Amino acid sequence: MSMDFRRVKEYFSWLYYQYQIITCCAVLEPWEQSMFNTVVLTIVAMVVYTAYVFVPIHIRLAWEFFSKICGYHNTISN
C-alpha cells in the first residue's frame, strides 16, 4: 500500500515538474510563481464554472433546434 502511495506521489511530482517546465515557471522567482499560478488557477476556475453553467443550456438549445429540423415532435400534450 505504501508503494502505491509513493508511486502516486512521484507521478504528481513529475506532473508538477512538467507543468513548471512547459510554462517556464521554473525560471521565475517564488513570488512570481505564486502570482502566475494564481492567475492560471483563476482562469481554469472561470472556464470550469462557465462550462458548468452554460454548456448544458447550449446542448439543450441545440437538441431543440436539431429535433425541429429532423422532424422529431413531442407528442405529449398538456
Side-chain angles (χ1 to χ4, degrees):
M1 186 70 163
S2 66
M3 187 65 170
D4 291 336
F5 179 71
R6 185 186 313 154
R7 234 185 287 161
V8 170
K9 184 179 175 184
E10 288 175 0
Y11 179 69
F12 280 120
S13 174
W14 178 78
L15 282 177
Y16 182 68
Y17 177 72
Q18 292 296 315
Y19 162 74
Q20 283 188 329
I21 296 299
I22 290 171
T23 60
C24 296
C25 202
V27 298
L28 299 176
E29 292 185 21
W31 71 271
E32 293 172 326
Q33 284 182 356
S34 64
M35 291 298 292
F36 180 78
N37 289 334
T38 302
V39 170
V40 168
L41 184 64
T42 303
I43 290 171
V44 168
M46 288 190 300
V47 166
V48 168
Y49 175 75
T50 303
Y52 176 75
V53 171
F54 292 110
V55 168
I57 295 169
H58 289 293
I59 289 174
R60 183 181 56 84
L61 291 173
W63 175 262
E64 289 177 6
F65 176 76
F66 287 115
S67 65
K68 288 178 185 176
I69 287 179
C70 295
Y72 174 77
H73 299 288
N74 195 355
T75 59
I76 299 173
S77 59
N78 292 334

PDB file of all heavy atoms in Angstrom, residues 49-72:
ATOM      1  N   TYR A  49     -16.307  26.876 -14.382  1.00  0.00           N
ATOM      2  CA  TYR A  49     -17.606  27.418 -13.970  1.00  0.00           C
ATOM      3  C   TYR A  49     -18.464  27.757 -15.176  1.00  0.00           C
ATOM      4  O   TYR A  49     -19.657  27.437 -15.216  1.00  0.00           O
ATOM      5  CB  TYR A  49     -17.411  28.655 -13.098  1.00  0.00           C
ATOM      6  CG  TYR A  49     -18.710  29.335 -12.751  1.00  0.00           C
ATOM      7  CD1 TYR A  49     -19.568  28.794 -11.805  1.00  0.00           C
ATOM      8  CD2 TYR A  49     -19.092  30.500 -13.403  1.00  0.00           C
ATOM      9  CE1 TYR A  49     -20.772  29.405 -11.501  1.00  0.00           C
ATOM     10  CE2 TYR A  49     -20.286  31.116 -13.109  1.00  0.00           C
ATOM     11  CZ  TYR A  49     -21.118  30.569 -12.149  1.00  0.00           C
ATOM     12  OH  TYR A  49     -22.309  31.166 -11.864  1.00  0.00           O
ATOM     13  N   THR A  50     -17.864  28.406 -16.163  1.00  0.00           N
ATOM     14  CA  THR A  50     -18.608  28.777 -17.363  1.00  0.00           C
ATOM     15  C   THR A  50     -19.114  27.538 -18.097  1.00  0.00           C
ATOM     16  O   THR A  50     -20.262  27.509 -18.556  1.00  0.00           O
ATOM     17  CB  THR A  50     -17.726  29.627 -18.290  1.00  0.00           C
ATOM     18  OG1 THR A  50     -17.284  30.776 -17.563  1.00  0.00           O
ATOM     19  CG2 THR A  50     -18.466  30.063 -19.525  1.00  0.00           C
ATOM     20  N   ALA A  51     -18.275  26.526 -18.196  1.00  0.00           N
ATOM     21  CA  ALA A  51     -18.695  25.284 -18.842  1.00  0.00           C
ATOM     22  C   ALA A  51     -19.833  24.632 -18.061  1.00  0.00           C
ATOM     23  O   ALA A  51     -20.799  24.133 -18.644  1.00  0.00           O
ATOM     24  CB  ALA A  51     -17.514  24.331 -18.962  1.00  0.00           C
ATOM     25  N   TYR A  52     -19.750  24.649 -16.742  1.00  0.00           N
ATOM     26  CA  TYR A  52     -20.774  24.044 -15.901  1.00  0.00           C
ATOM     27  C   TYR A  52     -22.106  24.768 -16.051  1.00  0.00           C
ATOM     28  O   TYR A  52     -23.169  24.149 -16.074  1.00  0.00           O
ATOM     29  CB  TYR A  52     -20.330  24.058 -14.439  1.00  0.00           C
ATOM     30  CG  TYR A  52     -21.360  23.537 -13.481  1.00  0.00           C
ATOM     31  CD1 TYR A  52     -21.620  22.179 -13.384  1.00  0.00           C
ATOM     32  CD2 TYR A  52     -22.079  24.410 -12.674  1.00  0.00           C
ATOM     33  CE1 TYR A  52     -22.570  21.696 -12.508  1.00  0.00           C
ATOM     34  CE2 TYR A  52     -23.034  23.940 -11.794  1.00  0.00           C
ATOM     35  CZ  TYR A  52     -23.275  22.585 -11.711  1.00  0.00           C
ATOM     36  OH  TYR A  52     -24.215  22.118 -10.851  1.00  0.00           O
ATOM     37  N   VAL A  53     -22.070  26.084 -16.177  1.00  0.00           N
ATOM     38  CA  VAL A  53     -23.298  26.867 -16.236  1.00  0.00           C
ATOM     39  C   VAL A  53     -23.883  26.908 -17.651  1.00  0.00           C
ATOM     40  O   VAL A  53     -25.085  26.723 -17.832  1.00  0.00           O
ATOM     41  CB  VAL A  53     -23.047  28.300 -15.716  1.00  0.00           C
ATOM     42  CG1 VAL A  53     -24.239  29.196 -15.976  1.00  0.00           C
ATOM     43  CG2 VAL A  53     -22.739  28.268 -14.226  1.00  0.00           C
ATOM     44  N   PHE A  54     -23.060  27.132 -18.658  1.00  0.00           N
ATOM     45  CA  PHE A  54     -23.581  27.438 -19.977  1.00  0.00           C
ATOM     46  C   PHE A  54     -23.618  26.264 -20.956  1.00  0.00           C
ATOM     47  O   PHE A  54     -24.430  26.282 -21.881  1.00  0.00           O
ATOM     48  CB  PHE A  54     -22.800  28.591 -20.607  1.00  0.00           C
ATOM     49  CG  PHE A  54     -23.029  29.889 -19.892  1.00  0.00           C
ATOM     50  CD1 PHE A  54     -22.016  30.462 -19.152  1.00  0.00           C
ATOM     51  CD2 PHE A  54     -24.256  30.513 -19.938  1.00  0.00           C
ATOM     52  CE1 PHE A  54     -22.223  31.654 -18.476  1.00  0.00           C
ATOM     53  CE2 PHE A  54     -24.473  31.695 -19.275  1.00  0.00           C
ATOM     54  CZ  PHE A  54     -23.460  32.266 -18.532  1.00  0.00           C
ATOM     55  N   VAL A  55     -22.780  25.270 -20.798  1.00  0.00           N
ATOM     56  CA  VAL A  55     -22.775  24.158 -21.754  1.00  0.00           C
ATOM     57  C   VAL A  55     -24.098  23.391 -21.741  1.00  0.00           C
ATOM     58  O   VAL A  55     -24.639  23.093 -22.813  1.00  0.00           O
ATOM     59  CB  VAL A  55     -21.562  23.233 -21.524  1.00  0.00           C
ATOM     60  CG1 VAL A  55     -21.693  21.934 -22.289  1.00  0.00           C
ATOM     61  CG2 VAL A  55     -20.291  23.955 -21.938  1.00  0.00           C
ATOM     62  N   PRO A  56     -24.683  23.069 -20.587  1.00  0.00           N
ATOM     63  CA  PRO A  56     -25.981  22.376 -20.634  1.00  0.00           C
ATOM     64  C   PRO A  56     -27.077  23.172 -21.344  1.00  0.00           C
ATOM     65  O   PRO A  56     -27.906  22.596 -22.059  1.00  0.00           O
ATOM     66  CB  PRO A  56     -26.331  22.167 -19.162  1.00  0.00           C
ATOM     67  CG  PRO A  56     -25.034  22.183 -18.460  1.00  0.00           C
ATOM     68  CD  PRO A  56     -24.182  23.146 -19.218  1.00  0.00           C
ATOM     69  N   ILE A  57     -27.069  24.482 -21.181  1.00  0.00           N
ATOM     70  CA  ILE A  57     -28.066  25.314 -21.852  1.00  0.00           C
ATOM     71  C   ILE A  57     -27.887  25.225 -23.367  1.00  0.00           C
ATOM     72  O   ILE A  57     -28.860  25.047 -24.110  1.00  0.00           O
ATOM     73  CB  ILE A  57     -27.945  26.778 -21.376  1.00  0.00           C
ATOM     74  CG1 ILE A  57     -28.295  26.874 -19.897  1.00  0.00           C
ATOM     75  CG2 ILE A  57     -28.819  27.698 -22.212  1.00  0.00           C
ATOM     76  CD1 ILE A  57     -27.958  28.216 -19.271  1.00  0.00           C
ATOM     77  N   HIS A  58     -26.651  25.309 -23.832  1.00  0.00           N
ATOM     78  CA  HIS A  58     -26.397  25.246 -25.272  1.00  0.00           C
ATOM     79  C   HIS A  58     -26.707  23.854 -25.826  1.00  0.00           C
ATOM     80  O   HIS A  58     -27.191  23.736 -26.962  1.00  0.00           O
ATOM     81  CB  HIS A  58     -24.957  25.631 -25.585  1.00  0.00           C
ATOM     82  CG  HIS A  58     -24.685  27.088 -25.376  1.00  0.00           C
ATOM     83  ND1 HIS A  58     -25.246  28.061 -26.154  1.00  0.00           N
ATOM     84  CD2 HIS A  58     -23.931  27.732 -24.462  1.00  0.00           C
ATOM     85  CE1 HIS A  58     -24.842  29.245 -25.743  1.00  0.00           C
ATOM     86  NE2 HIS A  58     -24.035  29.075 -24.700  1.00  0.00           N
ATOM     87  N   ILE A  59     -26.438  22.817 -25.060  1.00  0.00           N
ATOM     88  CA  ILE A  59     -26.772  21.461 -25.519  1.00  0.00           C
ATOM     89  C   ILE A  59     -28.284  21.319 -25.658  1.00  0.00           C
ATOM     90  O   ILE A  59     -28.783  20.762 -26.637  1.00  0.00           O
ATOM     91  CB  ILE A  59     -26.188  20.408 -24.559  1.00  0.00           C
ATOM     92  CG1 ILE A  59     -24.667  20.372 -24.702  1.00  0.00           C
ATOM     93  CG2 ILE A  59     -26.782  19.029 -24.832  1.00  0.00           C
ATOM     94  CD1 ILE A  59     -23.972  19.483 -23.707  1.00  0.00           C
ATOM     95  N   ARG A  60     -29.035  21.838 -24.687  1.00  0.00           N
ATOM     96  CA  ARG A  60     -30.496  21.764 -24.759  1.00  0.00           C
ATOM     97  C   ARG A  60     -31.021  22.545 -25.960  1.00  0.00           C
ATOM     98  O   ARG A  60     -31.889  22.065 -26.701  1.00  0.00           O
ATOM     99  CB  ARG A  60     -31.128  22.303 -23.484  1.00  0.00           C
ATOM    100  CG  ARG A  60     -32.653  22.181 -23.478  1.00  0.00           C
ATOM    101  CD  ARG A  60     -33.269  22.733 -22.208  1.00  0.00           C
ATOM    102  NE  ARG A  60     -32.895  24.103 -21.952  1.00  0.00           N
ATOM    103  CZ  ARG A  60     -33.499  25.173 -22.493  1.00  0.00           C
ATOM    104  NH1 ARG A  60     -34.513  25.010 -23.324  1.00  0.00           N
ATOM    105  NH2 ARG A  60     -33.112  26.394 -22.189  1.00  0.00           N
ATOM    106  N   LEU A  61     -30.488  23.743 -26.183  1.00  0.00           N
ATOM    107  CA  LEU A  61     -30.934  24.540 -27.329  1.00  0.00           C
ATOM    108  C   LEU A  61     -30.574  23.865 -28.653  1.00  0.00           C
ATOM    109  O   LEU A  61     -31.370  23.885 -29.601  1.00  0.00           O
ATOM    110  CB  LEU A  61     -30.333  25.940 -27.260  1.00  0.00           C
ATOM    111  CG  LEU A  61     -30.860  26.832 -26.137  1.00  0.00           C
ATOM    112  CD1 LEU A  61     -30.070  28.128 -26.076  1.00  0.00           C
ATOM    113  CD2 LEU A  61     -32.338  27.097 -26.312  1.00  0.00           C
ATOM    114  N   ALA A  62     -29.394  23.278 -28.730  1.00  0.00           N
ATOM    115  CA  ALA A  62     -29.004  22.564 -29.949  1.00  0.00           C
ATOM    116  C   ALA A  62     -29.907  21.353 -30.170  1.00  0.00           C
ATOM    117  O   ALA A  62     -30.310  21.065 -31.307  1.00  0.00           O
ATOM    118  CB  ALA A  62     -27.540  22.133 -29.867  1.00  0.00           C
ATOM    119  N   TRP A  63     -30.244  20.648 -29.080  1.00  0.00           N
ATOM    120  CA  TRP A  63     -31.141  19.492 -29.199  1.00  0.00           C
ATOM    121  C   TRP A  63     -32.508  19.929 -29.720  1.00  0.00           C
ATOM    122  O   TRP A  63     -33.073  19.283 -30.610  1.00  0.00           O
ATOM    123  CB  TRP A  63     -31.276  18.804 -27.845  1.00  0.00           C
ATOM    124  CG  TRP A  63     -32.261  17.687 -27.879  1.00  0.00           C
ATOM    125  CD1 TRP A  63     -33.558  17.724 -27.494  1.00  0.00           C
ATOM    126  CD2 TRP A  63     -32.038  16.373 -28.379  1.00  0.00           C
ATOM    127  NE1 TRP A  63     -34.150  16.522 -27.693  1.00  0.00           N
ATOM    128  CE2 TRP A  63     -33.245  15.664 -28.239  1.00  0.00           C
ATOM    129  CE3 TRP A  63     -30.933  15.733 -28.928  1.00  0.00           C
ATOM    130  CZ2 TRP A  63     -33.370  14.341 -28.634  1.00  0.00           C
ATOM    131  CZ3 TRP A  63     -31.062  14.411 -29.308  1.00  0.00           C
ATOM    132  CH2 TRP A  63     -32.263  13.735 -29.165  1.00  0.00           C
ATOM    133  N   GLU A  64     -33.041  21.018 -29.170  1.00  0.00           N
ATOM    134  CA  GLU A  64     -34.336  21.520 -29.648  1.00  0.00           C
ATOM    135  C   GLU A  64     -34.256  21.948 -31.113  1.00  0.00           C
ATOM    136  O   GLU A  64     -35.159  21.652 -31.899  1.00  0.00           O
ATOM    137  CB  GLU A  64     -34.792  22.696 -28.791  1.00  0.00           C
ATOM    138  CG  GLU A  64     -35.212  22.314 -27.396  1.00  0.00           C
ATOM    139  CD  GLU A  64     -35.582  23.511 -26.550  1.00  0.00           C
ATOM    140  OE1 GLU A  64     -35.612  24.648 -27.090  1.00  0.00           O
ATOM    141  OE2 GLU A  64     -35.831  23.315 -25.351  1.00  0.00           O
ATOM    142  N   PHE A  65     -33.196  22.619 -31.493  1.00  0.00           N
ATOM    143  CA  PHE A  65     -33.036  23.078 -32.871  1.00  0.00           C
ATOM    144  C   PHE A  65     -32.972  21.903 -33.833  1.00  0.00           C
ATOM    145  O   PHE A  65     -33.697  21.857 -34.835  1.00  0.00           O
ATOM    146  CB  PHE A  65     -31.773  23.930 -32.981  1.00  0.00           C
ATOM    147  CG  PHE A  65     -31.458  24.369 -34.377  1.00  0.00           C
ATOM    148  CD1 PHE A  65     -32.184  25.388 -34.977  1.00  0.00           C
ATOM    149  CD2 PHE A  65     -30.431  23.770 -35.084  1.00  0.00           C
ATOM    150  CE1 PHE A  65     -31.898  25.803 -36.257  1.00  0.00           C
ATOM    151  CE2 PHE A  65     -30.142  24.173 -36.373  1.00  0.00           C
ATOM    152  CZ  PHE A  65     -30.875  25.189 -36.960  1.00  0.00           C
ATOM    153  N   PHE A  66     -32.112  20.914 -33.541  1.00  0.00           N
ATOM    154  CA  PHE A  66     -31.953  19.794 -34.464  1.00  0.00           C
ATOM    155  C   PHE A  66     -33.145  18.848 -34.430  1.00  0.00           C
ATOM    156  O   PHE A  66     -33.438  18.193 -35.429  1.00  0.00           O
ATOM    157  CB  PHE A  66     -30.649  19.048 -34.178  1.00  0.00           C
ATOM    158  CG  PHE A  66     -29.435  19.813 -34.621  1.00  0.00           C
ATOM    159  CD1 PHE A  66     -28.513  20.263 -33.695  1.00  0.00           C
ATOM    160  CD2 PHE A  66     -29.229  20.110 -35.954  1.00  0.00           C
ATOM    161  CE1 PHE A  66     -27.399  20.975 -34.095  1.00  0.00           C
ATOM    162  CE2 PHE A  66     -28.123  20.827 -36.368  1.00  0.00           C
ATOM    163  CZ  PHE A  66     -27.206  21.263 -35.433  1.00  0.00           C
ATOM    164  N   SER A  67     -33.833  18.784 -33.306  1.00  0.00           N
ATOM    165  CA  SER A  67     -35.027  17.926 -33.284  1.00  0.00           C
ATOM    166  C   SER A  67     -36.131  18.538 -34.141  1.00  0.00           C
ATOM    167  O   SER A  67     -36.908  17.807 -34.754  1.00  0.00           O
ATOM    168  CB  SER A  67     -35.512  17.712 -31.851  1.00  0.00           C
ATOM    169  OG  SER A  67     -35.961  18.921 -31.281  1.00  0.00           O
ATOM    170  N   LYS A  68     -36.215  19.861 -34.220  1.00  0.00           N
ATOM    171  CA  LYS A  68     -37.192  20.502 -35.110  1.00  0.00           C
ATOM    172  C   LYS A  68     -36.803  20.310 -36.562  1.00  0.00           C
ATOM    173  O   LYS A  68     -37.669  20.111 -37.424  1.00  0.00           O
ATOM    174  CB  LYS A  68     -37.311  21.986 -34.782  1.00  0.00           C
ATOM    175  CG  LYS A  68     -38.026  22.249 -33.488  1.00  0.00           C
ATOM    176  CD  LYS A  68     -38.088  23.730 -33.184  1.00  0.00           C
ATOM    177  CE  LYS A  68     -38.718  23.956 -31.815  1.00  0.00           C
ATOM    178  NZ  LYS A  68     -38.708  25.386 -31.448  1.00  0.00           N
ATOM    179  N   ILE A  69     -35.504  20.380 -36.854  1.00  0.00           N
ATOM    180  CA  ILE A  69     -35.042  20.189 -38.235  1.00  0.00           C
ATOM    181  C   ILE A  69     -35.296  18.761 -38.696  1.00  0.00           C
ATOM    182  O   ILE A  69     -35.736  18.521 -39.821  1.00  0.00           O
ATOM    183  CB  ILE A  69     -33.547  20.536 -38.358  1.00  0.00           C
ATOM    184  CG1 ILE A  69     -33.359  22.041 -38.270  1.00  0.00           C
ATOM    185  CG2 ILE A  69     -32.963  20.003 -39.659  1.00  0.00           C
ATOM    186  CD1 ILE A  69     -31.917  22.477 -38.347  1.00  0.00           C
ATOM    187  N   CYS A  70     -35.035  17.797 -37.812  1.00  0.00           N
ATOM    188  CA  CYS A  70     -35.166  16.386 -38.185  1.00  0.00           C
ATOM    189  C   CYS A  70     -36.612  15.904 -38.136  1.00  0.00           C
ATOM    190  O   CYS A  70     -36.891  14.755 -38.487  1.00  0.00           O
ATOM    191  CB  CYS A  70     -34.310  15.523 -37.271  1.00  0.00           C
ATOM    192  SG  CYS A  70     -32.552  15.851 -37.473  1.00  0.00           S
ATOM    193  N   GLY A  71     -37.532  16.735 -37.686  1.00  0.00           N
ATOM    194  CA  GLY A  71     -38.936  16.357 -37.689  1.00  0.00           C
ATOM    195  C   GLY A  71     -39.391  15.646 -36.435  1.00  0.00           C
ATOM    196  O   GLY A  71     -40.486  15.114 -36.385  1.00  0.00           O
ATOM    197  N   TYR A  72     -38.583  15.621 -35.404  1.00  0.00           N
ATOM    198  CA  TYR A  72     -38.991  14.991 -34.146  1.00  0.00           C
ATOM    199  C   TYR A  72     -39.873  15.973 -33.401  1.00  0.00           C
ATOM    200  O   TYR A  72     -39.466  17.085 -33.083  1.00  0.00           O
ATOM    201  CB  TYR A  72     -37.769  14.630 -33.299  1.00  0.00           C
ATOM    202  CG  TYR A  72     -38.123  14.120 -31.927  1.00  0.00           C
ATOM    203  CD1 TYR A  72     -38.584  12.839 -31.758  1.00  0.00           C
ATOM    204  CD2 TYR A  72     -37.995  14.934 -30.802  1.00  0.00           C
ATOM    205  CE1 TYR A  72     -38.912  12.366 -30.503  1.00  0.00           C
ATOM    206  CE2 TYR A  72     -38.316  14.477 -29.553  1.00  0.00           C
ATOM    207  CZ  TYR A  72     -38.783  13.186 -29.411  1.00  0.00           C
ATOM    208  OH  TYR A  72     -39.113  12.725 -28.168  1.00  0.00           O
TER     209      TYR A  72
END
